[in-house]
Structures are given as structure tokens and as C-alpha cells.
Amino acid sequence: MLTLIKGGTLVDDTREFRGDVLIQHGKIIKTAARIDATVADRVIDASGLLVMPGGIDVHTHFNIDTGSAVSCDDFYSGTRAAACGGTTTIIDHMGFGPAGCNLHHQLEKYHGYARGQAVIDYSFHGVIQHVDEAILDELYSMVHREGISSFKFYLTYQYCLNDGDILRLLEKLKEVGALATVHPENNAAIVHNRRRFMAENKRAPIWHALSRPVACEAEAIARSINLAQMAGNAPLYIVHLSNGLGMEYIKLAKARRQPVWMETCPQYLLLDIEHYQREDALKYILSPPLRPHSELDSLWGGINDGSIDTVATDHCTFPYSLRQAQAASDFTRCPNGLPGVENRLALLFSEGVAKGRISASRFVALTSANPARLFGLWPDKGSLLPGSDADLVLFDPQRRQVIRHADLHDNADYSPWEGFECHGWPVMTLSRGEAVWREGRFCGKAGHGRFIHRKPFFSTYQEVK
């Protein structure tokens, strides 16, 4: 069947132009200023709408088990919410497995979680819990046989790595064609601060933020960059950047042509540390924490000038009711993370494009094209080129919509975006040519989403601008 999307404004990461899109067998086969409607079996009227590559969220946590809490979003509810917000591909960060497990252990577990459940296409980032010769030897097969071309390591939490192991890991990841992603926070500083605050009976949510100050994150960013440089300029991706000082360190590395990229999230662009003074402050505990408002301004500068490469969500849902039960009198017991996979595109468009901070093409670069290039999905994803998957979002740039959790599609019991009014809203999402969201109605199905065998890092990477 031939599907024609007609009369819209096509937007990719380089240009905007009035035109039509012809789709067959789940692929874009033609874009042109005008395509005769009589060639199509189905015509979708996109008059007044932007037609863009579907969003790619490269930072989600579905089915994650922290040991003390399990996410309330699995690969069905999480990808359903993503689809309803205009996202057509996710790459999920696998959680930790048992101590000493190999890399394939968690991969097999996550394949089990997602198979037959995902509404949209998906992949996984590998997770590094420890480094030894067996793990290093396993990386090649993960990249070239399993299609996992990015791996995350942590500088805090239970399985944080030491500098020597990080150096060995970065060298090997570069050798096998993988991108290293890092959660950068100084573990020793966090442990020291938390112990001191507990001894002083400082247990309210604000002390979560103060136990993980800007310098704690920025130091770990600088250290990761320097270790990557010592590892022969191993490619490095900084996840969930929340502050301007860390961004300046990354910009210095970029200026000397080091292959380093950075991601931020809507919460670090729109929410600030004052939320920890609210009665419902436990809703906003995540790591790194929300920052003073001046840091938001710094990050918007990076969004505007091209320094920040991607905007993801770090979607990780633990119900407010669970947070209250576990951590009402002790912030250290609160599971970390915020929901948000459904609202990323609307929030960034509203606060970025509608307010004149960025162009629509820059919006596509941040939310789709750059993630596709960096994570082995290009040009199948993130593009309007003929031959690309027909993963598209039709977006009404004039529609105003207030976010209400009652209208959302995740399994959380709250939204951090409750009451935000968005200027611009996704009205239709196509996954490989099939509608999964249309005019306020979810119309996808579990199992439509396919696992994407991603290409090695250097085989698809083009300079991210």
C-alpha cells in the first residue's frame, strides 16, 4: 500500500520546505514539492503541520530494578507513552545484573523484557559493572554480533569503576567500534556529603541536591574527558548534563577536536532546585539533581549555540506513593528518576522553537538526527531521505496543550510537567508507516516494535552539528 502525506512542511536537521512524502512497505520512497495524490492508496492531510523524523530518545530506563524499587514502566507502557509523544525509537540503558555477571546476561534479560511488548523500535546500551579480561574480550561480540554499539559505565552507585579500569575499558571500546557513555558524578564526594548530612539529621529532599553539587558532576566530567584522551581519543558521550561548568569542560574538549558529545534532558532545562522546597519535593529526586536557575540559563545557551548535541529524557518512573512510603523522612531512601518520555518533544518545541531560541531544524537535530548518527541508527532513523524508515511525527506548531498526567500514557502516578502549557503538540506518530498515535488516541500495539541491530560507532557517525 502507498501512503501519501500531503501538504505539510517537511523539516529535517538541515532545512524546512513545503512538500509531500510517499511511503511504501514502511519506508520513505520519495519526497517532493508535490506528489500526485492519485498514486496513493491512502492520503494523510498534513496542511498546517510540520512533518519531521520521529523522535529518538537514547536515554530511558524501562523495567529497571534498583534492588529497593522496580520501575512502574515496562517496555509496553514506556514505549506506548513515547509513541504518544512523537518518539519512534528508544535506546534503553540496561540496569545492573547480579554481581560478576557477563555482558550477555543483561542483554538476554532485556530482550526478554522487550520482545513482544514494545510499541516502537528499540535497542539497548550495554552496561559495564566490572572490568576484567573476560568482559573486555566479550565487547567485540556485543558490538558486531549483537548490535550493541554503546556501553555505559558509572562513576557512582554500586558498580562505579575506578580510573584504571575506565582507561582499559575506553581503549577497548574504541578498538571494537563502540561509543562509551558515562554517568559522571564523583562517588567519594557523594558518600562524604551524605554521611555528614545524615549525622547532622539533614534528611529533607533539598539535601539530596546539596549532597551532589555542581562541582561533583563537573569534576567527573573533566576526569572522564581526560581519561578518554589518554585512551587514544576514545569517543565519549556525557549523559544527562545538568550544569554550565561541566558544559564548559566539554566545550574545551570539543575545541581541541576531541570526540566528546553531550546530552541534556528537559528537567535540566525547565525545572530548578526550588522544587526541593515544595511539599511534594520527593517527586523531583533524580541524579544529578535539579540545579539553581542560573544553570538552566547556561544549558539553554548550549542548546542555542550548538554545543549540546542531544536532548533525551532519562525516563525512570517510580511512583510518588512509593517514594512517600520509602523516603518520607530520609532522602537517601528515595528511588531516583523522573517520568517524561511522552513530553520531551512538546516541551523542547514549546520552550525552544516557539520561543525563538532555536530553529525547527535544530530541534530535529537534537531530538532525532544527532542521536541517530551517534548511536548507529543513521540513515534508517532520524532522516527524511528516501530509503529511511517511515518513522515520522506530524506536529501542529500552533496547538496549545496543557500537560495533565491524567491524559498521559505511562504507568506513573504523577507527572513533573503537570500544568505546563505547551505551544506545539504532536498530533500523529507513524512507526514504519503505521500510525501509533493519532489525534489524541493511541492506536499502536504491543510487538510492533522491533529490536534494532545498531551499527558500530564509526560506520555511521557523521559530524554532529
Side-chain angles (χ1 to χ4, degrees):
M1 184 173 75
L2 286 167
T3 298
L4 178 63
I5 301 175
K6 191 161 186 62
T9 299
L10 309 190
V11 186
D12 63 17
D13 63 325
T14 62
R15 61 177 181 153
E16 301 178 38
F17 59 101
R18 290 293 299 276
D20 303 338
V21 182
L22 193 61
I23 299 167
Q24 187 176 39
H25 303 312
K27 298 281 188 180
I28 296 171
I29 62 171
K30 183 179 181 180
T31 61
R34 186 178 182 278
I35 299 174
D36 188 348
T38 61
V39 305
D41 302 293
R42 176 178 63 162
V43 177
I44 297 171
D45 182 6
S47 301
L49 303 179
L50 305 180
V51 180
M52 301 182 284
I56 300 172
D57 191 343
V58 295
H59 195 156
T60 63
H61 293 280
F62 302 148
N63 280 96
I64 194 166
D65 184 347
T66 67
S68 62
V70 178
S71 168
C72 58
D73 273 320
D74 57 19
F75 276 85
Y76 175 68
S77 65
T79 58
R80 176 183 62 189
C84 296
T87 289
T88 51
T89 305
I90 61 98
I91 306 180
D92 197 77
H93 281 282
M94 295 188 284
F96 296 136
C101 71
N102 66 18
L103 300 178
H104 282 77
H105 178 279
Q106 285 304 89
L107 178 60
E108 292 170 10
K109 189 172 186 177
Y110 270 71
H111 274 310
Y113 287 153
R115 189 180 298 114
Q117 296 299 308
V119 171
I120 56 174
D121 291 348
Y122 62 93
S123 187
F124 312 118
H125 303 281
V127 60
I128 307 295
Q129 298 178 209
H130 69 282
V131 175
D132 58 23
E133 288 305 315
I135 292 293
L136 296 176
D137 289 344
E138 198 180 356
L139 287 169
Y140 182 90
S141 66
M142 287 286 285
V143 174
H144 295 277
R145 295 175 193 156
E146 307 292 352
I148 305 298
S149 56
S150 52
F151 295 82
K152 187 177 188 178
F153 64 93
Y154 291 78
L155 299 186
T156 189
Y157 298 134
Q158 179 182 1
Y159 292 109
C160 61
L161 301 185
N162 64 49
D163 290 354
D165 284 344
I166 292 169
L167 191 57
R168 293 169 66 202
L169 174 65
L170 289 168
E171 289 173 341
K172 191 66 175 183
L173 289 174
K174 181 186 178 186
E175 178 187 322
V176 300
L179 177 61
T181 81
V182 57
H183 177 122
E185 291 184 287
N186 185 300
N187 189 64
I190 294 168
V191 170
H192 171 77
N193 289 336
R194 282 160 66 108
R195 284 175 178 168
R196 177 161 58 91
F197 293 160
M198 290 299 100
E200 296 170 355
N201 201 32
K202 295 174 177 176
R203 298 170 183 259
I206 184 62
W207 298 103
H208 168 74
L210 298 179
S211 72
R212 309 171 98 98
V214 163
C216 173
E217 180 185 2
E219 182 280 330
I221 288 172
R223 179 158 40 104
S224 299
I225 289 170
N226 288 325
L227 288 169
Q229 192 276 330
M230 287 188 277
N233 272 342
L236 181 69
Y237 180 89
I238 308 295
V239 303
H240 51 45
L241 177 74
S242 74
N243 73 87
L245 178 59
M247 182 173 69
E248 292 304 314
Y249 290 149
I250 301 166
K251 288 168 71 172
L252 284 172
K254 285 173 175 275
R256 65 180 187 230
R257 307 299 294 175
Q258 189 173 340
V260 180
W261 298 271
M262 55 178 143
E263 157 198 299
T264 193
C265 308
Q267 53 266 33
Y268 301 121
L269 296 168
L270 300 174
L271 305 177
D272 65 24
I273 196 170
E274 295 304 315
H275 285 74
Y276 296 123
Q277 304 290 3
R278 293 169 45 144
E279 183 178 355
D280 60 352
L282 287 173
K283 290 179 178 178
Y284 300 94
I285 287 188
L286 76 164
S287 297
L290 302 179
R291 302 297 190 190
H293 201 86
S294 58
E295 302 298 340
L296 279 61
D297 295 335
S298 295
L299 294 181
W300 274 112
I303 291 286
N304 179 266
D305 69 17
S307 299
I308 291 173
D309 301 290
T310 68
V311 175
T313 61
D314 195 9
H315 179 98
C316 188
T317 50
F318 301 104
Y320 181 46
S321 58
L322 175 67
R323 293 166 182 254
Q324 290 174 303
Q326 290 192 355
S329 59
D330 183 352
F331 76 84
T332 67
R333 298 180 179 275
C334 188
N336 283 212
L338 299 186
V341 71
E342 188 165 349
N343 300 127
R344 175 180 65 125
L345 296 189
L347 288 165
L348 186 62
F349 188 94
S350 181
E351 297 295 318
V353 181
K355 290 189 175 180
R357 286 166 158 150
I358 57 173
S359 68
S361 287
R362 172 72 173 138
F363 170 84
V364 170
L366 288 163
T367 60
S368 188
N370 287 355
R373 288 188 170 102
L374 284 167
F375 290 97
L377 299 167
W378 183 269
D380 296 324
K381 308 291 188 184
S383 169
L384 297 179
L385 294 170
S388 298
D389 288 347
D391 288 358
L392 301 168
V393 58
L394 277 60
F395 205 93
D396 185 343
Q398 301 305 321
R399 180 168 171 176
R400 293 184 180 272
Q401 181 87 22
V402 175
I403 297 173
R404 304 291 183 198
H405 184 259
D407 301 326
L408 301 182
H409 298 82
D410 57 46
N411 278 346
D413 58 359
Y414 78 100
S415 169
W417 310 110
E418 189 77 26
F420 269 70
E421 183 180 34
C422 293
H423 185 177
W425 197 257
V427 296
M428 188 173 186
T429 306
L430 299 177
S431 171
R432 286 181 278 109
E434 296 296 322
V436 291
W437 166 254
R438 186 167 192 167
E439 280 296 346
R441 185 175 66 88
F442 171 66
C443 46
K445 61 181 181 180
H448 170 79
R450 297 175 180 171
F451 172 73
I452 304 299
H453 189 286
R454 293 185 288 126
K455 299 160 190 162
F457 176 69
F458 288 110
S459 70
T460 60
Y461 166 68
Q462 300 176 27
E463 185 174 0
V464 175
K465 299 180 180 178

